[in-house]
Amino acid sequence: AYPDYSFQDRNMAYTVGSAFYGIYFIVSFPAFFAFDVEIDQETKPKVTAWQTLVESCGYGMIIMILLDIVRLSLDIPLVIGSSNVVCTLKEEIISQ
């Protein structure tokens, strides 16, 4: 195992981690399905680099929002880097 982290409850970590990973498929499957809509047509619409950039950023933002909604509903605190401030929905700021 990787020596720099450990889990208090390994089963819970695997279960929640798998659920979080599943969110990527919820968003990406319809996105990839949309690629094949015009595959059999004689004239296909031209896809620009700008359209690709905007759509990929949109999909990424949808994933981030869904991940954050699940994190907040499970009351999992967000700790960024080595900060002592924990972001949560609770009124008080938890300082470690």
Side-chain angles (χ1 to χ4, degrees), residues 3 19 32 40 50 52 61-63 67 71 73-78:
F32 286 115
D40 293 329
W50 177 251
T52 303
M61 196 66 221
I62 292 169
I63 289 170
L67 289 172
R71 180 190 65 82
S73 67
L74 294 175
D75 200 29
I76 300 172
L78 175 65

Side-chain angles (χ1 to χ4, degrees), residues 19-32 55-71:
F20 270 71
Y21 190 64
I23 290 173
Y24 289 93
F25 293 105
I26 291 170
V27 175
S28 66
F29 182 76
F32 286 115
E55 288 179 5
S56 63
C57 288
Y59 293 133
M61 196 66 221
I62 292 169
I63 289 170
M64 292 300 293
I65 289 170
L66 289 173
L67 289 172
D68 208 36
I69 288 170
V70 172
R71 180 190 65 82

Side-chain angles (χ1 to χ4, degrees), residues 14 50 53 57 66 80 92 96:
Y14 290 157
W50 177 251
L53 176 73
C57 288
L66 289 173
I80 300 174
E92 73 275 359
Q96 295 179 350

